[in-house]
Every structure is written in structure tokens, then in C-alpha cells.
């Protein structure tokens, strides 16, 4: 065990984690020249296309240092704030972390956020200054920033380049010298932590685990403590580039387990695996449940695909434990699911993965957040409002509370004014302004979560020319003046388009939604009114004009009353048509509401 090192790589998005992981794999000869490609651990098409890591990836490397063989278990983690749950799971399985900072971009919001996550878990931090070969790199200044953040010595910061492979030997030496070997007892009963799982359509659920105490053998009868189910370990092994089956995996090591489980819900990330005959007394603690930030409805385009969508979501949830969903139905869209996501990018990725991996074409409704409502009749009872239609009748409503977040924005000092006015427009209150260096400022705001759900991050990037980094965490509920805005199309309310909005923004957003829908809904043979309403009061209206057949074309000459007679007849027909007419709302109309500022 003294020769095992478990570590993860943490950093802000686009600071070069995956490229550096590629260099480590090459240097330790874990991969051959033939297997070599960029972003080797990012095995999803989506990750490669966007150049971001979505999933944590575990891989084992063998390395000989000063004549002694070592086993290094590396977990490459995502850098985007929406996938921070993946990072927290990876950190739980490690003793140390490489904190990577881009020499050109310096410390960003997510660097600090991931660092605190690692420090809470008592991980040994190795600071690495990456991309020092870039012409725009500023190693001296950024080293000072790291020293200030970590309180380490300047010579402890390793200079490296994921592109050229500079400094990789120093990183491996630091991993062996500084990261402690895992603590654990091979002779105790088995105790292992599940930190990830994937669904394989041929072999069932593959579970990734880290053994804390004891050992796990092939063919052993094991038990999952959260579900109390027992299974046989059909295959255990280590995670190289391809899985390598082994007879036994001992304390301190990381591996995979195949038990032939076919149902996704039987494996819970954060669960403890133990021996069925001699179970451990204590479960592994300190694993937190995911808190979804954004809620949206996902519906199959064809209602008959509902069960297929459920199966796809369950398999996806295995691979992405931060996805939460429950069944719901809508008058406009039929049966579907109410899903909880960690942010807008997460929502976008899930929707795309459903389409690519499971061939499911889905309709996503307007995302919102979870509110708490209180009525006058039962002032102590909390009513959870995940969907605008759950809001109690306004006449009985006492108050509505909405979730607030503490937002931390790091930007250049030139953009402070623009960032502040954006946050104030989004109902934010500034709580702190801290100059990290003369050039870079950290701004802290208390903001309603609902305001950052839609387009906040995109607009922040625009006003700061891409130089602002953003991170947030929830700080609880606060009372707020909210109203439910319904959208009526041809006098029929469309529940999938209704939204809970702050009173001050209701008119402005209601008007924008109506204008957007007018552009997107195709014209019919009759006028279609589009209205936004609060209760019975209409606050905005747009009309899609009818396609008109020229009925007077064949009427030439003669009295004007002949023309009028034909037009009156047409008018009556249009009126009757409008009463029986049905308006089809295209898929892009549901999505357009998210991009109101474009």
C-alpha cells in the first residue's frame, strides 16, 4: 500500500487539465504511440467537440521512481461550475490533488471553488503552473497569485506545459514525495466507496470504487449497504485504458466491479460496498446529496415513447448522478419528466446526450427554480413550487420565498462597472469588492437564483469580453414579490410556457415572450391572439395576422355592395374557423423563451 498514490486534477475550465493528463499517461508509458490522441480520457463525442470535460475519468498508471515501482491512480475532473458534483465525488476517492493554473489566465473563480472543495477533504495540494510556453504567459505574476492563495513557497509551484511535456517529470516526483499513501487495513472486513458507475448494455452496470479497508476478490459475495442488496463479484479489475481483470483488489486501490446488475436504481454513488458474510460496522460518511439548481420539463415528442424515455433517463442518471427527475404531465405536452439540473450547461448536455446516446428526441420546457409558498390558512406549511402551475391561488397566498445564491465573479478592473450594472439589473446586491491584484477584482453578490438561470452567464461573458469567471453557492430562501405569468394562445393557456417572474420584470418579459412567439408560430387561416396574463389581467398582446385569400379577385365592375358581401362572408368563415381552429406550437418556440435577449 505504501507505493499507491491516489490523486485528482482540479482546475478552472480550459486551464489544460486533460492535455496534462495525456502527457502523464505518455510519460509513464501507460499508452502506446498507436493509442495516442488529444484529450485521451474524454471519450464522449460531445466532450471532444466542445473541448470540455463533462465526466470524471479514472485511469491507473505504473511508474518506477528511484528503482521502486509505484501505482498512480489518476482522476481527471471537469472544470465547469455545472459539473462541480463530479469533482466532489472524485475528491472523496483521493489523498491529493494537482491544482492547475493557466499561466496566461491566472486564478479564476472555479480554481478557488475547487481548491476549497479539496481543502475541506484534507487533500495534499500540489500547485502546477501550466501553459508556461505561451507567448502571453506571465509566470512570475501568476506564481505570486498562487503563493498568495495557497500560502506555499514560490519554488513549490511546478512550471509545466501540457503541450510540450515540460515539467511532467517534476509533477510525478512531487506526487510520489508529497501525496500521502492511502491509510487502511487489508485485514479488516471489506469497506469500499462507490464514486462512479456506467451502464454497459452487454454487461449491465459497471461500478467504480475505491477500497478503504479489506480486499475484494473475484467471485466474492458482496453487499451494497444503502440498498441492502447482495451480489456476486463476477469480475473485478483495475482501470487502465481498457479494463484489466484481476483476482483481488486490496485496500487503497481503485478498481471496477461487474455484478450483472441490470437495473440502474440499484447502484447509488457514495454507497459502501462490504462483504456479505462479514459486513463492516461503519458506512463511509461525508458524501453529500446533490442539490439541483434549475428545473425543466423534458417530454418525448411522441407520447408513446414515454417508457423508453424513462429507461434512457435511468441509464443516464447512472453515469451522471447529479441528474434528478420525477414524472409529471402537462396539458400541452402529455406525459414527461420534471428534471433537476445543476445549471444551464448541464441541461443542454443532458438534452444532447439523450439525443445522441439514446436516440430520444425531446422537448424541453422553460427552466425555472424551486420556490416555497406559504398560504394564509396554514402559515407554517411549506408548499414546494417546482412548476408555475403548483402555485396556490393568489387570494390565499401569504408569501413566496425564492432561493438566493452568493455569486463570486472575478474579472479585470476595466469591466467592474459593466459587471455591476448587469448584476443590479438581475436584482443582485453587492456584498463585497476585493482587489486580488491591481488588475483583477473579485465581486461578491447576493442574487436570486432565478435571475441567473436563463442568460446571465452568456451576458456576463459578453460585457466582460470573456474575462469574467463566475462561481456560486446557495445561501437559502428569501421572501420575494413573485407573480405567475400565463401565456394564452388563441385564448387557450399553454402551461408549458407559463413562468414565475418578479413583479418588476413581469410586464417587460411578458411582452418579449409575446413578440418572440409571434415570430415563431406559423400563420393560419385566422387571426391568432397571443397574450401574457397575470391572473385575469392581460399585460401584453400580439396578434399573428391571418393568411387571407383574395375573395374579391373575380369581382370586377358593378356595385361596391357585391365586394362587401363577399368580404362579410369571408369574415364569418374566419370567425367560425377561429373557434374550432387548433394552433400547433413548434419546438423552437419553447426554447426561444430562453434566449429573449438575443
Amino acid at each position: 500500500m505504501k507505493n499507491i498514490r491516489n490523486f485528482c486534477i482540479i482546475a478552472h475550465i480550459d486551464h489544460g487539465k486533460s492535455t496534462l493528463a495525456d502527457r502523464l499517461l505518455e510519460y509513464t508509458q501507460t499508452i502506446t504511440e498507436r493509442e495516442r490522441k488529444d484529450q485521451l480520457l474524454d471519450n464522449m463525442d460531445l466532450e471532444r467537440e466542445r473541448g470540455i470535460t463533462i465526466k470524471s475519468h479514472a485511469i491507473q498508471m505504473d511508474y518506477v521512481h528511484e528503482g521502486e515501482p509505484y501505482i498512480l491512480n489518476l482522476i481527471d475532473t471537469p472544470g465547469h461550475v455545472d459539473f462541480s458534483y463530479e469533482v466532489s465525488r472524485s475528491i472523496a476517492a483521493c489523498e491529493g490533488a494537482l491544482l492547475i493554473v493557466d499561466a496566461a489566465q491566472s486564478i479564476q473563480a472555479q480554481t478557488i471553488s475547487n481548491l476549497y472543495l479539496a481543502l475541506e477533504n484534507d487533500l495534499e495540494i500540489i500547485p502546477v503552473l501550466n501553459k508556461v510556453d505561451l507567448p502571453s504567459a506571465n509566470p512570475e505574476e501568476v506564481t505570486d497569485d498562487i503563493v498568495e492563495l495557497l500560502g506555499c513557497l514560490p519554488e513549490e509551484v511546478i512550471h509545466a506545459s501540457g503541450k510540450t511535456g515540460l515539467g511532467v517529470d517534476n509533477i510525478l516526483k512531487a506526487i510520489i514525495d508529497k501525496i500521502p499513501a492511502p491509510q487502511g487495513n487489508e485485514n479488516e472486513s471489506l469497506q469500499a466507496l462507490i464514486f462512479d458507475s456506467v451502464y454497459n448494455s452487454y454487461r449491465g452496470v459497471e461500478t467504480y470504487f475505491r477500497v478503504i479497508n479489506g480486499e475484494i476478490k473475484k467471485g466474492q459475495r458482496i453487499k451494497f449497504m444503502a440498498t441492502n442488496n447482495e451480489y456476486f463479484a463476477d469480475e473485478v479489475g483495475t482501470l487502465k485504458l481498457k479494463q484489466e481483470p484481476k483476482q483481488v483488489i486490496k485496500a487503497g486501490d481503485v478498481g471496477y466491479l461487474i455484478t450483472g446488475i441490470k437495473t440502474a436504481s440499484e447502484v447509488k454513488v457514495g454507497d459502501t460496498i462490504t462483504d456479505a458474510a462479514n459486513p463492516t460496522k461503519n458506512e463511509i460518511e461525508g458524501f453529500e446529496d446533490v442539490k439541483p439548481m434549475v428545473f425543466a420539463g423534458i417530454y418525448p415528442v411522441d407520447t408513446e415513447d414515454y417508457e423508453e424515455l424513462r429507461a434512457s433517463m435511468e441509464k443516464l442518471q447512472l453515469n451522471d448522478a447529479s441528474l434528478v427527475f420525477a414524472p409529471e404531465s402537462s396539458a400541452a405536452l402529455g406525459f414527461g419528466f420534471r428534471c433537476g439540473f445543476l445549471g444551464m450547461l448541464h441541461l443542454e448536455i443532458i438534452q444532447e446526450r439523450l439525443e445522441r446516446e439514446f436516440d430520444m428526441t425531446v422537448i424541453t420546457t422553460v427552466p425555472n427554480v424551486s420556490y416555497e409558498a406559504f398560504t394564509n390558512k396554514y402559515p407554517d406549511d411549506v408548499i414546494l413550487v417546482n412548476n408555475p402551475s403548483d402555485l396556490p391561488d393568489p387570494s390565499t397566498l401569504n408569501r413566496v420565498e425564492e432561493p438566493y445564491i452568493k455569486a463570486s465573479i472575478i474579472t479585470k478592473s476595466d469591466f467592474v462597472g459593466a459587471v455591476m450594472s448587469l448584476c443590479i439589473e438581475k436584482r443582485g446586491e453587492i456584498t463585497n469588492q476585493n482587489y486580488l491584484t491591481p488588475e483583477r477584482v473579485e465581486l461578491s453578490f447576493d442574487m436570486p437564483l432565478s435571475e441567473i438561470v436563463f442568460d446571465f452567464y452568456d451576458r456576463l461573458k459578453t460585457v466582460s469580453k470573456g474575462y469574467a469567471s463566475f462561481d456560486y453557492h446557495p445561501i437559502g430562501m428569501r421572501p420575494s414579490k413573485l407573480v405567475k405569468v400565463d401565456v394564452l394562445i388563441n385564448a387557450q393557456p399553454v402551461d408549458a410556457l407559463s413562468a414565475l417572474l418578479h413583479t418588476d420584470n413581469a410586464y417587460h418579459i411578458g411582452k418579449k415572450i409575446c413578440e418572440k412567439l409571434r415570430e415563431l408560430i406559423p400563420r393560419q387561416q385566422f387571426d391568432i391572439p397571443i397574450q401574457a396574463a397575470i391572473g385575469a389581467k392581460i399585460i401584453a398582446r400580439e396578434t399573428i395576422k391571418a393568411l387571407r385569400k383574395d375573395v374579391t379577385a373575380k369581382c370586377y365592375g358593378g356595385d361596391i355592395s357585391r365586394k362587401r358581401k363577399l368580404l362579410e362572408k369571408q369574415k364569418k368563415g374566419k370567425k367560425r374557423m377561429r373557434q374550432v381552429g387548433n394552433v400547433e406550437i413548434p419546438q423552437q418556440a419553447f426554447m426561444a423563451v430562453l434566449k429573449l435577449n438575443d
Side-chain angles (χ1 to χ4, degrees), residues 529-543:
I530 300 171
Q531 296 161 311
I534 299 173
K537 184 184 173 193
I538 305 291
I539 55 169
R541 168 175 172 144
E542 293 287 332
T543 308

Side-chain angles (χ1 to χ4, degrees), residues 113-151:
S113 161
N114 287 340
L115 170 68
Y116 287 149
L117 259 180
L119 291 174
E120 276 168 29
N121 284 281
D122 294 335
L123 263 62
E124 177 66 41
I125 308 289
I126 297 175
V128 177
L129 186 64
N130 196 17
K131 304 192 186 179
V132 289
D133 58 318
L134 284 182
S136 57
N138 198 341
E140 290 79 18
E141 200 176 300
V142 180
T143 303
D144 292 346
D145 293 350
I146 297 173
V147 168
E148 204 172 311
L149 179 69
L150 286 176

Side-chain angles (χ1 to χ4, degrees), residues 227-338:
T227 54
N228 264 334
N229 292 342
E230 296 187 4
Y231 309 96
F232 283 105
D234 297 339
E235 187 183 308
V236 294
T238 52
L239 296 152
K240 290 284 177 70
L241 195 56
K242 296 185 176 65
Q243 295 171 339
E244 287 196 359
K246 294 273 170 80
Q247 286 302 314
V248 60
I249 291 184
K250 299 187 175 182
D253 215 343
V254 173
Y256 73 92
L257 162 74
I258 293 172
T259 50
I261 300 174
K262 286 284 187 279
T263 348
S265 55
E266 289 180 33
V267 179
K268 297 214 176 335
V269 169
D271 193 357
T272 307
I273 307 175
T274 187
D275 186 24
N278 175 22
T280 177
K281 300 286 183 291
N282 40 0
E283 283 189 49
I284 297 164
E285 286 175 10
F287 210 81
E288 57 187 58
D289 265 343
V290 57
K291 296 185 197 79
M293 293 285 184
V294 174
F295 291 86
I298 287 188
Y299 293 84
V301 172
D302 191 347
T303 323
E304 290 167 7
D305 296 340
Y306 175 70
E307 282 304 325
E308 208 177 313
L309 179 62
R310 179 197 289 277
S312 307
M313 299 277 272
E314 281 174 356
K315 287 173 189 167
L316 199 53
Q317 192 179 34
L318 248 192
N319 195 244
D320 184 349
S322 51
L323 169 67
V324 184
F325 65 92
E328 74 161 2
S329 63
S330 141
L333 301 168
F335 292 104
F337 295 96
R338 186 99 200 131

Side-chain angles (χ1 to χ4, degrees), residues 29-140:
Q29 293 173 351
T30 306
I31 54 168
T32 61
E33 194 63 39
R34 270 182 66 189
E35 293 166 327
R36 181 181 167 173
K37 59 180 178 181
D38 287 345
Q39 278 179 273
L40 186 80
L41 294 178
D42 294 349
N43 48 15
M44 247 187 270
D45 293 346
L46 207 55
E47 292 180 311
R48 308 185 75 80
E49 275 167 34
R50 289 175 175 242
I52 58 175
T53 305
I54 295 167
K55 287 284 307 158
S56 305
H57 300 281
I59 192 163
Q60 192 175 83
M61 305 182 282
D62 297 317
Y63 181 59
V64 179
H65 176 63
E66 294 176 358
E68 188 110 358
Y70 286 88
I71 293 175
L72 310 178
N73 289 310
L74 148 75
I75 303 178
D76 179 24
T77 64
H80 197 282
V81 61
D82 279 13
F83 305 114
S84 56
Y85 187 63
E86 287 281 328
V87 183
S88 71
R89 289 161 39 185
S90 308
I91 282 175
C94 294
E95 275 85 28
L98 296 181
L99 179 76
I100 293 185
V101 180
D102 187 326
Q105 297 179 49
S106 189
I107 290 162
Q108 309 246 301
Q110 201 57 26
T111 317
I112 296 172
S113 161
N114 287 340
L115 170 68
Y116 287 149
L117 259 180
L119 291 174
E120 276 168 29
N121 284 281
D122 294 335
L123 263 62
E124 177 66 41
I125 308 289
I126 297 175
V128 177
L129 186 64
N130 196 17
K131 304 192 186 179
V132 289
D133 58 318
L134 284 182
S136 57
N138 198 341
E140 290 79 18

Side-chain angles (χ1 to χ4, degrees), residues 425-427 448-456 502 505:
E425 179 196 324
K426 295 282 189 186
R427 298 194 284 136
L449 180 63
S450 57
E451 292 289 343
I452 67 157
V453 163
F454 292 121
D455 54 356
F456 177 76
H502 193 264
N505 303 339

Side-chain angles (χ1 to χ4, degrees), residues 187-455:
N187 304 320
E188 279 186 30
S189 60
L190 170 66
Q191 185 191 27
L193 166 80
I194 299 177
F195 66 88
D196 206 354
S197 53
V198 233
Y199 189 81
N200 181 326
S201 43
Y202 302 108
R203 313 176 74 182
V205 178
E206 297 175 359
T207 311
Y208 297 166
F209 62 87
R210 149 88 198 269
V211 185
I212 309 290
N213 290 314
E215 57 185 33
I216 184 167
K217 294 190 180 76
K218 184 181 176 175
Q220 180 180 354
R221 190 163 179 75
I222 52 161
K223 178 179 172 184
F224 286 12
M225 292 181 81
T227 54
N228 264 334
N229 292 342
E230 296 187 4
Y231 309 96
F232 283 105
D234 297 339
E235 187 183 308
V236 294
T238 52
L239 296 152
K240 290 284 177 70
L241 195 56
K242 296 185 176 65
Q243 295 171 339
E244 287 196 359
K246 294 273 170 80
Q247 286 302 314
V248 60
I249 291 184
K250 299 187 175 182
D253 215 343
V254 173
Y256 73 92
L257 162 74
I258 293 172
T259 50
I261 300 174
K262 286 284 187 279
T263 348
S265 55
E266 289 180 33
V267 179
K268 297 214 176 335
V269 169
D271 193 357
T272 307
I273 307 175
T274 187
D275 186 24
N278 175 22
T280 177
K281 300 286 183 291
N282 40 0
E283 283 189 49
I284 297 164
E285 286 175 10
F287 210 81
E288 57 187 58
D289 265 343
V290 57
K291 296 185 197 79
M293 293 285 184
V294 174
F295 291 86
I298 287 188
Y299 293 84
V301 172
D302 191 347
T303 323
E304 290 167 7
D305 296 340
Y306 175 70
E307 282 304 325
E308 208 177 313
L309 179 62
R310 179 197 289 277
S312 307
M313 299 277 272
E314 281 174 356
K315 287 173 189 167
L316 199 53
Q317 192 179 34
L318 248 192
N319 195 244
D320 184 349
S322 51
L323 169 67
V324 184
F325 65 92
E328 74 161 2
S329 63
S330 141
L333 301 168
F335 292 104
F337 295 96
R338 186 99 200 131
C339 306
F341 305 96
L342 294 182
M344 286 300 284
L345 179 69
H346 189 205
L347 159 68
E348 212 177 298
I349 295 290
I350 291 287
Q351 193 182 344
E352 224 167 291
R353 285 185 70 183
L354 278 171
E355 289 187 11
R356 286 180 185 214
E357 294 172 30
F358 302 99
D359 267 349
M360 295 297 312
T361 320
V362 291
I363 292 174
T364 313
T365 63
V366 183
N368 59 15
V369 298
S370 198
Y371 301 93
E372 290 179 358
F374 298 85
T375 55
N376 292 321
K377 199 173 179 186
Y378 307 107
D380 296 335
D381 290 0
V382 179
I383 300 166
L384 261 184
V385 182
N386 282 338
N387 204 340
S389 55
D390 304 339
L391 193 72
D393 188 84
S395 57
T396 62
L397 199 60
N398 179 326
R399 68 181 190 282
V400 180
E401 295 190 352
E402 65 175 332
Y404 263 70
I405 55 154
K406 166 80 70 193
S408 150
I409 298 169
I410 297 180
T411 184
K412 283 192 164 182
S413 44
D414 315 2
F415 306 119
V416 171
V419 170
M420 273 191 185
S421 55
L422 171 66
C423 293
I424 289 162
E425 179 196 324
K426 295 282 189 186
R427 298 194 284 136
E429 297 161 18
I430 187 158
T431 54
N432 194 8
Q433 182 176 353
N434 175 22
Y435 276 81
L436 302 170
T437 69
E439 281 296 300
R440 293 170 64 248
V441 193
E442 182 180 13
L443 301 168
S444 299
F445 288 91
D446 287 357
M447 293 173 80
L449 180 63
S450 57
E451 292 289 343
I452 67 157
V453 163
F454 292 121
D455 54 356

